[in-house]
Amino acid sequence: SSRVLWTLAVTQFCGFVGPNMPHSFGYRARTRRTFARGFRQHGKVHLSQYLTPIKVGESVDIKVNGAVHKGMPYRWYHGKTGQVWNVTPRAIGVEVNKQIRQRIIKKRIHVRIEHIQKSGSRDDFVKRCAANQVTCIEAKKAGARAVTKRSPAGPRAEAYVNGKVDVEELHPIPYEFTA
C-alpha cells in the first residue's frame, strides 16, 4: 500500500518512472536524438567549418555537433538563431533571445565554431528588399506607383483537356476462392 502511494507520488512529480528506474537530471539529459549525428554524417568535422569567416553582427544558427564535446551549448539553444557579439580564436559569442515567462531576456553565450553555422533566415528578406528598390526606381521613371506588396499565388489559368485520347477504364478483378 505504501509502495503504491510512493510510486504514484513519484509519477506525479517527475513523469512516469518505473519502480526500479533511476531518474537523471544531468546537463545532457534527454539529448539522445537531439545531439545525434545524422545518417552518414558521422566522423570528423569538415575543414570548411573552421575556415568559414564569421563577423560581429552576423546572424548564426546554433546547431550542436554531437561529435565535438568541447564548447557545446546547453540543449535549449540547439536550433536557435542569434547575433554574433564576440569572436575569439576558437569560439563565437552569440546573443540569443530567450523567453522566460512574460519577458524576453538577451542571453550571451560562447559556443565553439563546430556548433555554429551561418544563418540564411535573412537572405530572402534582403533579396526582396533589393528587388523592391529596383521596382520603385523603375516605377518612378515611368511615373506610376510601385506595388511592392507580396500576394499569394493565384489559381492556375484555365485550360481545355483534349478528349480525343482513348481513355482506359480499370476495374477490380473479382476475388475467386481456389482451394
Side-chain angles (χ1 to χ4, degrees):
S1 161
S2 61
R3 182 165 176 79
V4 173
L5 290 174
W6 178 84
T7 307
L8 287 172
V10 170
T11 305
Q12 289 175 351
F13 176 70
C14 55
F16 177 76
V17 177
N20 300 321
M21 294 291 288
H23 198 63
S24 60
F25 296 97
Y27 195 73
R28 289 186 61 175
R30 290 167 290 282
T31 60
R32 181 178 183 175
R33 301 283 188 274
T34 311
F35 290 171
R37 305 285 279 136
F39 177 63
R40 294 174 67 178
Q41 298 296 317
H42 301 269
K44 295 180 185 175
V45 181
H46 293 288
L47 196 60
S48 60
Q49 182 80 28
Y50 297 102
L51 298 176
T52 305
I54 297 174
K55 299 172 186 171
V56 174
E58 287 184 348
S59 285
V60 292
D61 296 329
I62 299 173
K63 188 177 176 184
V64 176
N65 185 343
V68 182
H69 296 167
K70 283 190 171 184
M72 185 182 281
Y74 182 65
R75 68 185 170 96
W76 182 88
Y77 296 100
H78 179 74
K80 299 291 186 281
T81 303
Q83 305 293 323
V84 176
W85 65 274
N86 189 21
V87 178
T88 63
R90 288 178 196 84
I92 304 291
V94 183
E95 190 174 62
V96 183
N97 289 333
K98 184 173 184 180
Q99 183 174 348
I100 299 174
R101 295 194 182 97
Q102 68 275 8
R103 64 194 195 278
I104 295 174
I105 297 175
K106 289 187 176 184
K107 305 281 282 189
R108 286 186 160 190
I109 60 169
H110 277 91
V111 183
R112 270 181 84 111
I113 296 165
E114 295 92 334
H115 310 293
I116 292 280
Q117 68 181 26
K118 280 192 173 182
S119 178
S121 58
R122 274 183 60 89
D123 292 348
D124 184 48
F125 172 72
V126 171
K127 285 179 188 174
R128 201 170 70 246
C129 286
N132 287 350
Q133 202 80 21
V134 171
T135 306
C136 289
I137 291 169
E138 289 174 357
K140 196 170 188 180
K141 287 180 184 174
R145 185 173 177 169
V147 178
T148 57
K149 193 172 183 179
R150 291 179 289 170
S151 59
R156 291 177 289 178
E158 64 181 30
Y160 287 102
V161 178
N162 188 1
K164 294 179 181 177
V165 180
D166 293 332
V167 178
E168 183 183 347
E169 293 185 13
L170 299 175
H171 298 286
I173 300 170
Y175 175 73
E176 294 179 12
F177 181 74
T178 56

